[in-house]
Amino acid sequence: MKSIRYCLMSFSLMVPGLLPAQPATDPFLEKLLKKHKTELAGVTGDPAGLEIQVMYTRIDRNSRNEPAFTTYKYRVDPEKYFYPASTVKLPVVLLALEKLNDLRITGLTRDTPMLTGADRPAQTAVTADSTSESGLPSVAHYVKKILLASDNDAFNRLYEFLGPGYINETLQAKGYTHTRITHRLGRPLPAEENRHTNPVRFELDGKTIYIQPGRYTDKTYSRTGPVPKGKGYLDNGRLIQQPFDFREKNEMALEDQHALLRAIFFPHSVAPARRFNLSEDDYRFLYQYMSQLPVETSYPQAYTEMDDNAVKFLLFGNSKRRMPRHIRSYNKIGKAYGYLTDNAYLVDFERGVELMLSATIYCNSDGIFNDDRYDYETVGLPFMANLGKIIFDYELERRKKNRPDLDRFEVEYDK
């Protein structure tokens, strides 16, 4: 793995006379990573330049199978901006399922056909989906596409169903205070256009049971100050030799991502205000598609051609080998602008291992954005694979008083 050394401009506004806050690092995790510096060669020498952040939660069960959590951090700083890419899709998935439950409309479920209209020239409509079993779009099918293949259009449709105002106000109220979701993905629209969302209606047996008109969010959730990164970027093929400003881009700190994972898998261990209004059936649906592999999928059928590790970075990295079926990663990844992130609950059903692990790394050694010359294959994915293996192997060797009963997380897959 090649060594990377480069300087990144800080987005923080320096206050005269004050030192910037230092990232949180626990000695245990730092010592464990240093112990394996050979496996992490080329990365541990420049953790600041690579903007590495890691959170690991150890889970210990008592005789009643109740979990206790011990969380360790490595260079974690919620104020240190990194581009979260597709990891923001997970909270939107949860909010979409929660909103359906909150509406309390007879016949309105995640499987009810959801038809999206268009009020503005920049908007696009969706009234059919050839990749679904029914041929119609639905919240459930969009969730599958997001969790199985990180589909951008599926995320955009749920973003339009919710709207940025609802998304951000609800997440803030639940305590996810370092998260801002303000734009669609894969569509470079102006910030103003992302504040407009499409009309949506749900139909059952040819009858409209819920209609939501197009909406506009007048509140701005982006950072107020500049967030400069790198040393240049391409704009329509032209190199702009100045840092790229991420102030209007989505944001989700690693601490928020890690907390969200715990709310999904251990909802009763978090404060009621941080939970989501989901049924047990919703949770099992999430557990299935957060861990299901492409080859195990019936719809969309095209996903069977994807590699097992297509959206599983921690522990598996860029390996093309088949993943052991007794090991499952319930996760959500992000990969864009040189940032690589994974947020996972990792389980080994055969050997009784469970842990939560979240990590992000910046893989852009030339400091130029939009040039598609990122170091994912040589730096980011090997780091994710080795980090996952280091923590997983530690858990395999760690003595536990009680073997966890993981039946709650064992689900049936499509095939």
Side-chain angles (χ1 to χ4, degrees):
M1 189 184 300
K2 64 182 179 181
S3 178
I4 297 175
R5 297 196 178 276
Y6 50 88
C7 294
L8 300 173
M9 295 184 64
S10 171
F11 68 83
S12 301
L13 296 177
M14 299 299 293
V15 180
L18 294 180
L19 293 174
Q22 295 299 307
T25 294
D26 291 299
F28 162 76
L29 187 53
E30 183 175 36
K31 182 179 179 181
L32 181 62
L33 297 182
K34 284 184 177 179
K35 179 181 176 181
H36 294 274
K37 62 182 180 181
T38 301
E39 297 99 303
L40 299 174
V43 173
T44 52
D46 190 18
L50 292 168
E51 301 187 31
I52 294 171
Q53 295 188 49
V54 179
M55 292 187 70
Y56 154 52
T57 294
R58 188 172 70 191
I59 304 169
D60 292 286
R61 304 271 186 164
N62 63 18
S63 59
R64 295 184 299 275
N65 202 47
E66 296 167 337
F69 306 89
T70 307
T71 297
Y72 302 97
K73 301 177 181 180
Y74 178 73
R75 302 192 59 81
V76 173
D77 182 355
E79 299 298 332
K80 179 71 173 177
Y81 180 86
F82 66 90
Y83 185 64
S86 293
T87 58
V88 300
K89 295 172 183 175
L90 185 55
V92 167
V93 161
L94 299 177
L95 291 178
L97 294 173
E98 180 178 72
K99 182 174 179 177
L100 292 176
N101 293 335
D102 288 345
L103 286 170
R104 296 176 178 271
I105 296 173
T106 301
L108 181 61
T109 71
R110 62 178 184 254
D111 294 305
T112 305
M114 170 182 158
L115 309 180
T116 301
D119 284 341
R120 300 169 62 80
Q123 295 180 354
T124 57
V126 179
T127 57
D129 189 335
S130 62
T131 70
S132 75
E133 186 173 10
S134 68
L136 294 170
S138 66
V139 168
H141 195 61
Y142 285 140
V143 170
K144 293 177 186 179
K145 293 166 83 170
I146 287 170
L147 298 179
L148 291 166
S150 203
D151 187 273
N152 283 341
D153 182 71
F155 164 79
N156 294 342
R157 300 310 171 182
L158 297 188
Y159 173 91
E160 291 157 0
F161 170 49
L162 298 169
Y166 181 93
I167 292 170
N168 290 286
E169 295 297 332
T170 307
L171 290 175
Q172 290 285 320
K174 290 182 184 294
Y176 301 95
T177 56
H178 288 87
T179 298
R180 279 172 284 278
I181 302 175
T182 61
H183 61 83
R184 296 168 176 85
L185 295 175
R187 298 194 66 205
L189 298 173
E192 177 69 13
E193 201 61 52
N194 279 310
R195 287 194 278 271
H196 288 274
T197 52
N198 308 39
V200 176
R201 74 182 190 277
F202 289 81
E203 290 189 353
L204 184 63
D205 299 327
K207 295 181 180 179
T208 298
I209 60 173
Y210 175 68
I211 188 166
Q212 178 178 286
R215 292 176 175 172
Y216 177 74
T217 300
D218 55 7
K219 186 175 179 179
T220 300
Y221 295 94
S222 303
R223 288 202 179 205
T224 55
V227 186
K229 289 286 187 178
K231 61 183 182 182
Y233 60 94
L234 292 181
D235 183 9
N236 292 320
R238 185 168 63 98
L239 177 61
I240 309 298
Q241 294 184 330
Q242 64 184 44
F244 186 72
D245 190 355
F246 280 82
R247 81 175 78 189
E248 292 184 345
K249 295 295 185 181
N250 292 331
E251 178 172 0
M252 191 175 188
L254 200 68
E255 284 189 335
D256 279 6
Q257 295 194 27
H258 205 69
L260 190 75
L261 203 66
R262 181 165 161 178
I264 295 171
F265 292 94
F266 304 94
H268 297 296
S269 76
V270 303
R274 302 204 75 164
R275 299 174 195 166
F276 292 81
N277 178 23
L278 302 178
S279 67
E280 278 302 306
D281 186 58
D282 289 329
Y283 282 116
R284 291 194 68 79
F285 176 72
L286 286 169
Y287 299 164
Q288 176 180 345
Y289 289 101
M290 286 182 74
S291 60
Q292 184 166 295
L293 301 175
V295 73
E296 298 169 324
T297 300
S298 297
Y299 293 94
Q301 294 178 336
Y303 290 174
T304 59
E305 300 175 5
M306 295 168 55
D307 292 327
D308 283 0
N309 69 329
V311 292
K312 309 291 181 188
F313 297 161
L314 285 165
L315 197 59
F316 302 104
N318 52 6
S319 170
K320 301 302 180 185
R321 292 180 298 175
R322 298 293 297 273
M323 289 169 49
R325 293 307 187 253
H326 61 91
I327 296 177
R328 291 287 169 172
S329 174
Y330 304 77
N331 75 315
K332 186 69 199 76
I333 56 89
K335 178 183 176 184
Y337 287 116
Y339 286 97
L340 204 65
T341 305
D342 199 354
N343 183 34
Y345 172 57
L346 297 170
V347 172
D348 185 329
F349 288 102
E350 282 190 2
R351 293 175 286 185
V353 171
E354 62 174 335
L355 64 107
M356 291 188 290
L357 183 61
S358 304
T360 187
I361 183 171
Y362 179 57
C363 315
N364 188 19
S365 56
D366 67 6
I368 305 298
F369 294 101
N370 294 332
D371 63 354
D372 290 327
R373 295 175 61 186
Y374 303 124
D375 309 307
Y376 298 133
E377 296 293 329
T378 56
V379 176
L381 289 170
F383 166 74
M384 289 290 181
N386 289 324
L387 174 67
K389 188 175 186 303
I390 289 166
I391 303 298
F392 202 82
D393 286 348
Y394 170 78
E395 280 288 339
L396 283 172
E397 296 172 3
R398 185 171 72 87
R399 296 187 66 180
K400 305 175 186 67
K401 189 174 182 180
N402 299 287
R403 182 185 173 99
D405 179 349
L406 302 171
D407 287 351
R408 173 179 170 83
F409 309 114
E410 286 198 272
V411 294
E412 291 186 12
Y413 298 108
D414 288 355
K415 55 185 179 180

